[in-house]
Structures are given as C-alpha cells and as structure tokens.
Amino acid sequence: MQNPNRVKVAVVQRKSNVSSVPFSLSVECRLMEPLEYLQTRSDTVNFEVISEAQLHTENLSADIQIVLFNKHLSSDALKMARVAKSRGVAVFFDLDDWVMGFPAYSGARMSAENFENFQSFMELADEVTVANERLLHEIRPFRNNNVELLTNGFYTEKYWPHITPPDVESKKIVLTNADFLKMQSFKAEFLQVIDDFFNVHSDWSLDYYGKLPAELKGKPYIRYMGYFSYPTHKERLIQEHYAFSITPLGGIEDRDCFFFNSCKNPFKFLDYAGLGIPGIYSCVPIYEGCIDPDRTGVLVQNTIEEWRRAMDKMSSDANWRQAIRVNGFVDVKNKHHMRFPAQKMEQLFLKYLR
C-alpha cells in the first residue's frame, strides 16, 4: 500500500546551458536519477517533471511540496520559483558547475540578467545543494543560509547490475562531451595523438557523443552519435560494447579555465566505470580525487607521450582492460552509488513534509 504521506516533489527540466538540445543532462542525473531511486526504493517520495518552457502557475500541482531547480538562470524559472514560494512550496536550487562565468572553450555565456537571477535564487531558495567541496566553498559568499553537499552517484543496478566479462568487445572507443573539447593549450596535440592512433590502428574507431568540434568533423575514424537523454546515453554505451573511453580535460596549463574545470564533477568516470567501460582520463583534480591510478582508471598528464602510451596499452592489453573494468565497476558501486545522494536528498525533503 502506498504511503499517503509521501513528499510530493516537482523537478523543473530546462534546455541545456551549453548546447541547443531541449533538455539538461544535469537535471536528469543530479535530480531525476536520485528521485527515481527514492521513488522505487523508498516509500517517502513521489515526483513529477515539468518543463521550464511550459512554466505556468497551473503546471505546478496543488499538492506539490518541493520544487527543484538545477542551474536555472532564466527569468521564467525565477518567476516560477517566486510563485511556488508564495504558495508555501519549498524551493531547492542545485549546482554542479560554476555558473558565474564560463571558459573560452564553452558554448555557454553568462549575461547580466542571468547573474541577477542567480543571485535572486540564492536569496529565495530554502535549500541550496552543490555537488562537491570546491563548489561548497565558492558558493557560500552568495548565500546567507546553509549550503548542503549533495554528492554525485550512479544508479548501477538500473543500467548494469552485475559486472561480467564482455561476450563481445568491439574495437571502438567512446568520447562524450556535451560542450566542445574542454581544453585549450593541449588541444592541437591531443588531436594529433588521436589522428596518429587511428592511422596506426585502422581497424579501430571512435564514437563521439555530444557537440562535435569543428576540428573533428570529416575524420574517417569518427562516428558521430549525436545527443541523447541521460538514460538513453547509458543504454547506448552498453549496447555498443566499447573497449574503452577517453576523457580529455584541460589542467593547470589552461590557467584561464582551471578554476572552472576544478569546480566540475567526475560524471564521466561514474558513467563509464559504472557501466564496465575502462577509461583514460586527464590527470586533473576532479579525476585525481576519485580514480585509483591504473586500477579503477588511467590518469595521464596532458602530454603527447602519456596519452599515446595509454591509448596504445589500453588497445593492446585485454587483461589490463578487464582488470580496470572490474575494479572501476566495484569502486563506483561501493563508493559512488546512487543511494548516497538519494539518502541525503531524502533527509532534506523530510524537513518539508506537511
């Protein structure tokens, strides 16, 4: 029998801040995934999703007790938040990126209106949640009330419940980027590394999800996969039987972008390792903080030599790939499971049960 005292929650979906797609992956993985976990595993939460593009007072059900936003910067979203507050609905605002300024490589820009709306959200929100300690420190000056740490998680059993040796392993590599390639100083060298790799390994290919950079268009080894919702992307990653993944990210060599990058989160490690895909990652703070080098993933400095060596070894050593596949999956399931953020979210919600 369903608990009549469940907390009623509304999630506001929005278009991406960094691309033209009409959905936000951050909303899906930061809010909808833990809510789905709670709705499935707990008897305390019911949730519904409404679109920012269709925000009207009547879209917010009368029994909604909490409304969730993630990096919403529009005036329409702010207006909806104010309407919710006037009706006694608790407003939550979640952050998993630094939104007060975007790096040169990004397709996103922060307008004066967006900044004012962000400050207004900081003032009116009943709860502000952030994804990591760096954001926790950086957001406090904008917020008179508390800021809560809500870590990231991966819902392993939803997508890939048991790690098993792949029955089929393709000679395909995967790279996912919602925005453009997130590096500047090393970008030309990185592009040279992958050109050289596929010139030598002509039987291998690269599947690219997200916004395909101009520098990669027309490359014969690339299959452009486009954009997918968060759950559909996970399903595709499983279906394609990828041998391994590559995740380049600018480090300290990109001084203008380093602060922004240091506020980011290791979503790609959680996604890939949680689906049994071994990965190579730039050795930058967000990955150094969660990857056990050469055990749960491969960390490389942004140099031609290290990227080349890692890709050559990953492509040629099936035993190494399998060890990283298993260790990464176990690490995500034990340390970064969706139950951890879901439980924290539930604790925050229960404060507003009425």
Side-chain angles (χ1 to χ4, degrees), residues 154-262:
F154 187 78
Y155 198 167
T156 51
E157 61 269 37
K158 175 181 176 180
Y159 300 106
W160 191 252
H162 305 291
I163 186 67
T164 57
D167 50 355
V168 177
E169 188 183 50
S170 68
K171 289 190 174 182
K172 290 190 292 189
I173 304 169
V174 58
L175 194 165
T176 302
N177 257 333
D179 211 341
F180 294 109
L181 279 178
K182 299 178 174 68
M183 50 174 42
Q184 292 179 300
S185 300
F186 185 67
K187 183 165 70 172
E189 290 84 353
F190 175 76
L191 294 170
Q192 186 61 55
V193 168
I194 59 175
D195 271 346
D196 291 345
F197 176 87
F198 290 106
N199 284 336
V200 173
H201 303 83
S202 58
D203 53 339
W204 285 71
S205 62
L206 175 67
D207 282 3
Y208 194 105
Y209 294 85
K211 184 179 291 183
L212 185 66
E215 300 93 336
L216 291 177
K217 291 181 179 178
K219 299 284 187 182
Y221 54 79
I222 286 185
R223 181 171 64 151
Y224 178 52
M225 307 299 287
Y227 283 94
F228 293 98
S229 69
Y230 184 84
T232 303
H233 178 245
K234 304 301 152 296
E235 293 165 5
R236 292 300 295 265
L237 292 179
I238 294 169
Q239 293 166 3
E240 295 293 339
H241 303 285
Y242 292 112
F244 64 96
S245 64
I246 55 175
T247 303
L249 182 64
I252 193 63
E253 70 277 2
D254 288 346
R255 294 189 179 276
D256 292 344
C257 305
F258 186 70
F259 171 74
F260 182 87
N261 289 348
S262 69

Side-chain angles (χ1 to χ4, degrees), residues 247-290:
T247 303
L249 182 64
I252 193 63
E253 70 277 2
D254 288 346
R255 294 189 179 276
D256 292 344
C257 305
F258 186 70
F259 171 74
F260 182 87
N261 289 348
S262 69
C263 291
K264 294 182 70 61
N265 293 275
F267 290 118
K268 293 182 178 65
F269 169 69
L270 302 186
D271 288 351
Y272 292 139
L275 296 176
I277 302 173
I280 304 171
Y281 305 84
S282 289
C283 188
V284 295
I286 67 168
Y287 294 120
E288 289 177 293
C290 64

Side-chain angles (χ1 to χ4, degrees), residues 5-12 31 35 38 44-50 59-69 80-81 83-85 87-94 125-129 150 344-354:
N5 295 318
R6 284 188 172 196
V7 181
K8 311 301 191 305
V9 178
V11 177
V12 181
L31 304 180
L35 283 169
L38 284 175
T44 57
V45 173
N46 267 339
F47 81 97
E48 61 186 56
V49 180
I50 56 178
N59 291 128
L60 198 61
S61 302
D63 61 348
I64 291 296
Q65 297 162 286
I66 299 170
V67 60
L68 305 184
F69 298 87
M80 189 66 213
V83 169
K85 286 279 287 189
R87 290 169 51 176
V89 176
V91 173
F92 281 49
F93 191 87
D94 179 65
D126 296 281
E127 301 285 349
V128 171
T129 55
L150 184 68
K344 177 61 178 286
M345 188 179 275
E346 183 178 43
Q347 291 171 8
L348 294 174
F349 287 169
L350 291 177
K351 294 164 54 177
Y352 300 92
L353 179 65
R354 64 173 188 268

